Amino acid sequence: QPSIKDPEHDLDVQRVLFAFFPTYKDSPLKPQWSRILAVGDASGVQSPLSFGGFGALTRHLGRLSSAISEALENDCLHKDDLGHINAYMPNLGAAWIFQNAMSVRMGQNVDPKFVNNFLASNFKKMDKMGPLDGLAGGVDPFFLPQIANHVGMATTVDYLGHVGMMNLYSALDGLSPTIQPYVNKMTDPRTKFQWKRKMEAWKIGSGKDYSTTSRKSISIDNENK
């Protein structure tokens, strides 16, 4: 609106609204009971930036559909089996540094330009790397000392640990084509179910389910159940 030149003086604030978004840093959440599986927001598979779960749910929809179908078909409904569907994702864990970096602790003295510089630096890397890779692992190494100073060393070490696991998951995903034929020949339904979920976790946890040339949802060889 052209008439608003200075928001602090040109706007007459009538009321201030706040919202509360429950989030789970140690996500995805493992099932606590057999035969019950949480998805979307309820599972903690949500963006640490927007705290929304709808986009995360659409990304995982193909994987979840096939996994739940297999779980029902093979009676893999124990909470330990379902826990393999909501497996650890290091790229989601690494992305939490963004939430920490855009938060200000009580009494903390922060450079007013820090958040904007932080986002600008990482959006540039995301533009080069691709949205998912850039989001999870695109922190500019030259900006890392400022981030560490802002979020604290413990959070920084936690982030680097997740990035290390992303590299491990990426390497394991590279082995999936070799492992896949052996998994397809497994005769025990539960073991086969768990191994397929492991390979899905390697792919999605390393961000390799995203491709700039393809938008196919991941599903580990469902034609060869």
Side-chain angles (χ1 to χ4, degrees):
Q1 186 172 336
S3 61
I4 300 177
K5 304 296 184 183
D6 184 353
E8 292 187 15
H9 297 91
D10 296 341
L11 291 179
D12 184 14
V13 179
Q14 299 295 323
R15 61 176 178 169
V16 180
L17 299 178
F18 295 89
F20 174 76
F21 292 88
T23 59
Y24 307 94
K25 185 175 181 181
D26 295 327
S27 58
L29 300 179
K30 293 291 185 181
Q32 298 299 306
W33 302 276
S34 297
R35 308 183 72 86
I36 298 177
L37 177 70
V39 296
D41 281 342
S43 68
V45 181
Q46 56 194 146
S47 168
L49 291 177
S50 66
F51 307 115
F54 180 75
L57 178 60
T58 56
R59 176 188 175 191
H60 294 267
L61 198 56
R63 177 182 70 85
L64 289 172
S65 298
S66 61
I68 292 172
S69 177
E70 287 184 51
L72 291 170
E73 291 173 5
N74 299 295
D75 196 30
C76 296
L77 302 174
H78 189 273
K79 63 180 183 180
D80 293 339
D81 297 321
L82 298 178
H84 288 278
I85 298 178
N86 282 345
Y88 164 66
M89 292 183 288
N91 52 355
L92 178 60
W96 272 97
I97 196 172
F98 283 75
Q99 191 274 339
N100 290 101
M102 292 188 291
S103 302
V104 179
R105 298 186 297 274
M106 293 292 293
Q108 186 178 16
N109 185 19
V110 180
D111 181 352
K113 297 182 179 179
F114 173 80
V115 173
N116 286 340
N117 291 339
F118 174 75
L119 291 175
S121 171
N122 287 281
F123 285 158
K124 288 179 181 178
K125 293 189 70 66
M126 287 169 63
D127 186 52
K128 295 178 181 179
M129 299 173 67
L132 296 180
D133 290 336
L135 177 62
V139 174
D140 189 334
F142 295 104
F143 200 62
L144 196 56
Q146 296 182 53
I147 298 172
N149 182 62
H150 180 79
V151 303
M153 188 54 64
T155 299
T156 304
V157 171
D158 183 62
Y159 161 78
L160 293 175
H162 290 304
V163 172
M165 289 301 295
M166 283 179 60
N167 291 325
L168 175 60
Y169 271 44
S170 181
L172 291 171
D173 180 62
L175 297 175
S176 289
T178 303
I179 299 173
Q180 183 71 63
Y182 297 97
V183 174
N184 292 337
K185 295 178 181 178
M186 290 180 177
T187 56
D188 180 59
R190 177 163 281 104
T191 302
K192 185 175 182 179
F193 173 85
Q194 293 178 355
W195 267 99
K196 293 177 77 171
R197 304 291 80 78
K198 286 179 187 291
M199 290 189 289
E200 287 177 350
W202 296 341
K203 180 174 290 294
I204 205 163
S206 62
K208 286 194 171 183
D209 60 309
Y210 175 84
S211 171
T212 56
T213 58
S214 172
R215 296 296 186 271
K216 296 179 181 179
S217 61
I218 68 165
S219 180
I220 300 297
D221 200 9
N222 286 305
E223 293 81 8
N224 298 316
K225 290 181 182 177

